Amino acid sequence: MEYAKFIGVKESVESFAIKKTFNYECGRVTLECTALGVYFAVLNGKRVGRDYLSPGWTAYDKTLQVQTYDVTDLLVAGNNEITVFVGGGWFYRQPTYPHYSYGDKIAALAELTFENGKRIVTDETWIASESFIRSSSIYDGEIQDFTAERRPLTPIEIPYDKSVLVGQICEPVRNIERLKVKEKILTPRGEIVYDFGQNIAGVVEIKTPKGFKGKIELRFAEILDEGNFYTENLRKAKCTDVFIVKEEGVYSPEFTYHGFRYAQIIGVDLDSDSVVAVVRHTDMKRIGYVTTDNARFNRLVDNAVWGLRGNFVDIPTDCPQRDERMGWTGDVNAFCGTAAFSYDVRGILRKWLADLRNGQSETGEIPRIAPDVWGNKATSAFWADAISMIPWTLYRIYGDASFLSENYAAMKKFVAARENTMTDGLIVRGFEFGDWLAMDNEPLLVGEFRGRTDLYYIVNVFHAVTLQIVSDTAAVLGKTQESELYRRKRESLLAAIRKEYFTLSGRLCFDTVTAQVIALHFGIVEDKYRDKLAAELNANVVKRKYCVTTGFIGTPFLLFALADNGYFETAKKVLFNDKCPGWLFEVDTGATTIWERWNSALPNGKPNPDASMNSYNHYAYGSVIEFVWRRIAGIEPLSAGFATVSVKPRPCAELSEMRAEYDSVKGKIVSEYKRVGDKIIYNFEIPENTQAEIKLPNEDAVSLSSGKYSFERD
Ligand code: BGC
């Protein structure tokens, strides 16, 4: 796009349109387009492509995606008109990063290329004006006014470094699904509210009746409180769309999205058929399905899947509703395994990992969020370990070593940053999130979110995890000496951890569930003391009546630590516990996504009174579905990308039937069981060129190659 210029306007506006008329005779025509902001293009009155919120969110100073569309079918012989609408999107100051902006002016960059070599590029000859979109913001919503005068504006070139331009990296954001109104509600306060029955990320589309003129306001909420519309947990995000219309029509916002289940409509009383929720997220391919005969359990699986759908909106976010929606490292680190079994997340996570690296400091610290609009870099356990753990998970599941090679240098730099926080071989300094939102110290310390597990014990454990990954990564990449170097680093850290945090006879100094879980799961405890620690963990969980007291650090590994150390039954009881805190408690309380906090809603149905941090669509605890895949369906890659796979189903009395179907990079893997009378029938499917170790309960594994297999057992 050598000759195209980034075109903005001289006047101070939040949104504008630029247009150009041109002549067309014949041949193929492509449009390449991007924006400092967000955009969509219209050719002869028709929207180009199906993408929304383009060019997506990247660290724009390093990477700006350009979209390419074949627009031939939208052209007519003779006179044609192209318009590009531009809004601020993530580029321009937002309520949650008011002091950060990638630039002061929004702009569009476009180029039409004709088959005969002719080009039309954005420059100062395009005609600029205000548009029907008067203002737009990812967090606050959009105002569309079809009655206001559209003043002409002055096009100007906005200087911007074109060397950051790249093609589209991952699937774009699209309108994926339409949900009908489940129920129209008149709340006790008199609000007209539409319930879509599902917490989603997206927008609402309305159809106005004949003869209606005026202003319509749409507001969004995840829950009702005592039957009333509840928006306190949105914090500063206004999440309001406004349409000022002069004739009947279909209206929905372009440059925003909301996290909601309920929409309130003010200004017009629409019937339910005139209101639709449009699910808007990255257009990834679904590749994994777990279904059972237990409706509550299926709902839990769906809640995690909807958690992904609500939070993979161009980047993996923490939540889609409040004034945050950031690419939080810890959240996606917790959820990555579940995500990779459910959808093909290679594209979106490859793009996000590039931004994670883009945000890394010179000295190796990792940003808390990517793209990093806050500028906070740290070495916090688990959050910062996203730089090693996520590429490793993706490599194991998809078998693509480029996830490792692309991130290896950043991993090593990060290890060096951590080493700067060490004294005598242990990490003793630096900011930590700890076992974020654990339920094990709330009664003791109000306002402390970090759980009771020792912060530096946690970070030392996760450093050992990262060192293992860096060593294994080096081995995969053929760097034998480096692999050995990081293995030795891990060995000495392990020795230091054991000396500091375990007694001479092998007892772990901390009694929190999370401390025990990570010691077991990551091989921190010496093998000879493993059984003793596992028994302690089991007793600890039983004492808590199988409720989940762990936070972001302990929860993803809790059930693995139990099941892999002889306590599968206990793991199951935790999984199926329906008291608070617990996964099925959320389901029974009506959750349609995973909550941020175990007590986001209280047992009496009221929202947690701390609205300052209470999202009903936060996927971190959806990490439990990875356990379902790997330990109940029992599908585990023995080698990267499932070239060899172990399938070890563990039937549960709570699920008389379970079918897990995973479209791996090698092909379809199925693990299924059904209870029929006194029998259990197992069905398996192994793809071409894959070797499987299939193990039924209490039997030796059998080695099988591709094919379909069925076994019947008492
Ligand atoms: C976010 C998270 C995140 C956390 C870090 C919260 O505001 O929503 O889920 O990981 O901060 O402490």
Side-chain angles (χ1 to χ4, degrees), residues 692-711:
E693 301 265 300
I694 292 187
K695 187 181 171 327
L696 302 184
N698 310 316
E699 294 184 21
D700 290 337
V702 286
S703 188
L704 296 168
S705 50
S706 85
K708 291 186 181 178
Y709 303 93
S710 200
F711 301 86

Side-chain angles (χ1 to χ4, degrees), residues 305-363:
V305 169
W306 275 106
L308 183 151
R309 299 183 63 185
N311 282 293
F312 276 39
V313 182
D314 208 56
I315 62 158
T317 61
D318 56 337
C319 55
Q321 73 298 92
R322 67 180 177 222
D323 60 354
E324 190 152 10
R325 314 186 199 180
M326 291 292 160
W328 271 102
T329 47
D331 303 52
V332 58
N333 197 7
F335 190 66
C336 180
T338 299
F341 268 108
S342 310
Y343 275 83
D344 183 347
V345 294
R346 284 177 287 183
I348 186 168
L349 292 185
R350 188 186 300 283
K351 166 173 164 292
W352 179 82
L353 281 165
D355 279 331
L356 190 63
R357 296 193 301 275
N358 282 332
Q360 188 172 24
S361 72
E362 283 298 309
T363 42

Side-chain angles (χ1 to χ4, degrees), residues 127-194:
I127 294 170
S129 69
E130 292 177 330
S131 85
F132 67 99
I133 300 174
R134 309 310 281 186
S135 76
S136 71
S137 148
I138 299 284
Y139 299 90
D140 287 343
E142 185 158 301
I143 301 175
Q144 297 185 358
D145 188 345
F146 295 87
T147 62
E149 184 203 340
R150 295 178 194 171
R151 282 184 305 142
L153 300 170
T154 322
I156 52 168
E157 181 180 3
I158 307 296
Y160 204 80
D161 177 9
K162 281 204 218 153
S163 71
V164 300
L165 299 182
V166 298
Q168 179 80 24
I169 302 165
C170 68
E171 304 87 342
V173 172
R174 296 207 168 110
N175 290 344
I176 305 289
E177 190 179 340
R178 296 165 68 82
L179 303 181
K180 287 190 176 155
V181 171
K182 272 252 163 82
E183 194 187 350
K184 181 176 170 184
I185 301 167
L186 183 63
T187 70
R189 263 197 231 123
E191 304 142 324
I192 301 176
V193 168
Y194 300 80

Side-chain angles (χ1 to χ4, degrees), residues 459-491:
V459 68
N460 279 295
V461 169
F462 277 91
H463 194 52
V465 174
T466 278
L467 289 172
Q468 180 74 55
I469 291 173
V470 179
S471 170
D472 292 347
T473 296
V476 174
L477 300 178
K479 300 174 191 293
T480 321
Q481 280 179 359
E482 292 192 11
S483 175
E484 184 52 24
L485 171 73
Y486 287 93
R487 196 191 59 75
R488 270 190 271 112
K489 281 180 191 278
R490 178 186 152 95
E491 285 304 310

Side-chain angles (χ1 to χ4, degrees), residues 339-502:
F341 268 108
S342 310
Y343 275 83
D344 183 347
V345 294
R346 284 177 287 183
I348 186 168
L349 292 185
R350 188 186 300 283
K351 166 173 164 292
W352 179 82
L353 281 165
D355 279 331
L356 190 63
R357 296 193 301 275
N358 282 332
Q360 188 172 24
S361 72
E362 283 298 309
T363 42
E365 287 82 4
I366 302 293
R368 292 177 185 182
I369 54 169
D372 186 15
V373 284
W374 287 345
N376 286 323
K377 330 261 181 202
T379 50
S380 331
F382 197 59
W383 273 255
D385 295 284
I387 191 63
S388 58
M389 294 175 77
I390 292 178
W392 186 255
T393 301
L394 296 174
Y395 165 66
R396 292 294 301 170
I397 293 189
Y398 298 115
D400 182 347
S402 67
F403 284 112
L404 301 181
S405 53
E406 285 171 7
N407 293 292
Y408 181 59
M411 292 182 204
K412 289 199 295 181
K413 231 168 123 177
F414 167 55
V415 168
R418 273 257 176 82
E419 285 170 354
N420 288 333
T421 66
M422 284 178 153
T423 297
D424 297 335
L426 278 177
I427 297 162
V428 292
R429 291 181 294 280
F431 174 78
E432 293 297 331
F433 291 108
D435 192 18
W436 190 249
L437 299 181
M439 294 285 286
D440 55 4
N441 77 0
E442 255 176 298
L444 303 175
L445 281 166
V446 177
E448 171 58 87
F449 295 126
R450 292 185 291 177
R452 198 160 59 83
T453 307
D454 186 90
L455 301 178
Y456 290 105
Y457 163 72
I458 295 175
V459 68
N460 279 295
V461 169
F462 277 91
H463 194 52
V465 174
T466 278
L467 289 172
Q468 180 74 55
I469 291 173
V470 179
S471 170
D472 292 347
T473 296
V476 174
L477 300 178
K479 300 174 191 293
T480 321
Q481 280 179 359
E482 292 192 11
S483 175
E484 184 52 24
L485 171 73
Y486 287 93
R487 196 191 59 75
R488 270 190 271 112
K489 281 180 191 278
R490 178 186 152 95
E491 285 304 310
S492 51
L493 176 62
L494 213 50
I497 294 175
R498 287 171 178 166
K499 187 161 163 237
E500 178 75 8
Y501 298 116
F502 286 80

